[in-house]
Amino acid sequence: MIILKTKEEMSMMREAGLILARCHKEIAKMIKPGITTMQINDFAEAFITRHGAEQVTKGFHGFPAATCASVNDVIAHGFPDNKPLQEGDIVKMDIVCRYKGWCADTCQTYAVGKISPEAERLIRVAKECLELAIPHARAGNRIGDVVSVIQRHAEQAGFSVVRDLNAHGIGQSMHEEPSYVHAGKAGRGFRLQEGMVFTIEPMINAGKLDMFVDFDGWTARTVDGSLSAQFEHTVAITNEGPWVLTEEA
């Protein structure tokens, strides 16, 4: 069942979203060769706590950390660790917090030092996929109108869209209905209506779309070892248009 939110509830989710947006702004200053994803994780957890919110992922079905830190060929759900990031790496930091009972979820991909032209283009296209899709998240449209834009833009650039990991509704819980993939045809799928709040989080691979999960049961990697990039926002559907809850104005 899809749980529709009131404007007041969306506003409370916006407060959680702003905490994450500001956290990412600080993380962007920290990214450099030699830093570890565990250091970033610990900073993010402390930042969230300091702003009166709580992290959500640590302990979720046994997940060990307050963030997902996914480096290079890791698509999503990577564990933060003490291995220093290297020049040329790309790292996805996916963070969820709950503030006064309401959640927000966002991810950014960061370049570590000077990266290859291919990695640079992948990050740019992945970000564009999200930015191009958001305006289509309007009441009356269907989810296919959103995801078809993502698929078309990624594939025109020679990249692929992951199908095995879904976007999701969000509210007082991190994961709610609806659940959907970031590919499909315009005019298909569930209809968007005011009060829906869900993530848009395209995962774009430089190579094949196929993935596998490590023995830890979490870490999702590209099957061909190619790079993967992701950007994510929590988006509310209003009659005035999409409201990006995890972006500073």
Side-chain angles (χ1 to χ4, degrees):
M1 182 179 71
I2 297 175
I3 303 170
L4 301 181
K5 279 77 180 179
T6 66
K7 284 287 183 66
E8 292 74 19
E9 290 168 339
M10 290 178 186
S11 294
M12 288 187 278
M13 295 182 72
R14 169 67 169 160
E15 293 302 310
L18 284 173
I19 291 170
L20 293 183
R22 291 161 185 162
C23 184
H24 270 294
K25 191 173 181 180
E26 295 304 312
I27 288 172
K29 301 173 187 176
M30 300 171 64
I31 299 291
K32 61 182 179 181
I35 196 169
T36 71
T37 51
M38 186 59 76
Q39 287 174 306
I40 301 169
N41 174 85
D42 292 347
F43 168 82
E45 185 170 12
F47 185 96
I48 288 167
T49 301
R50 190 165 66 249
H51 287 79
E54 58 181 312
Q55 69 80 29
V56 177
T57 54
K58 185 161 66 175
F60 178 77
H61 296 304
F63 192 82
T67 66
C68 296
S70 304
V71 181
N72 293 335
D73 66 320
V74 178
I75 299 168
H77 305 155
F79 294 177
D81 61 28
N82 292 310
K83 181 182 178 182
L85 292 172
Q86 303 293 314
E87 182 100 12
D89 286 340
I90 66 172
V91 57
K92 289 127 281 183
M93 296 302 305
D94 190 351
I95 315 173
V96 187
C97 80
R98 182 181 287 111
Y99 182 72
K100 296 184 178 179
W102 294 89
C103 297
D105 184 359
T106 184
C107 178
Q108 292 191 34
T109 300
Y110 296 98
V112 182
K114 183 173 176 56
I115 61 174
S116 70
E118 179 198 36
E120 206 168 61
R121 193 168 74 90
L122 176 67
I123 291 174
R124 175 177 55 78
V125 169
K127 188 174 184 181
E128 289 170 351
C129 283
L130 176 59
E131 292 171 342
L132 291 169
I134 288 171
H136 295 271
R138 308 185 69 87
N141 281 355
R142 293 188 179 273
I143 195 62
D145 300 319
V146 178
V147 299
S148 61
V149 174
I150 292 169
Q151 183 179 359
R152 181 170 62 251
H153 189 65
E155 292 178 353
Q156 283 177 347
F159 300 140
S160 62
V161 182
V162 173
R163 267 70 153 185
D164 293 330
L165 297 171
N166 289 1
H168 54 90
I170 186 169
Q172 291 184 300
S173 298
M174 174 169 58
H175 292 150
E176 296 181 356
E177 291 298 326
S179 177
Y180 70 93
V181 298
H182 293 91
K185 295 184 178 181
R188 302 282 182 85
F190 62 87
R191 192 173 296 280
L192 308 185
Q193 58 180 304
E194 185 176 37
M196 286 183 174
V197 183
F198 53 83
T199 63
I200 304 177
E201 47 178 303
M203 291 150 274
I204 309 300
N205 294 347
K208 296 179 179 179
L209 59 85
D210 307 283
M211 54 159 271
F212 69 96
V213 177
D214 281 355
F215 290 116
D216 60 25
W218 283 99
T219 305
R221 296 181 184 272
T222 59
V223 75
D224 57 6
S226 62
L227 295 176
S228 187
Q230 180 188 22
F231 288 86
E232 173 185 15
H233 277 309
T234 298
V235 180
I237 307 302
T238 78
N239 285 335
E240 292 75 43
W243 185 12
V244 181
L245 303 181
T246 45
E247 181 177 63
E248 276 201 290

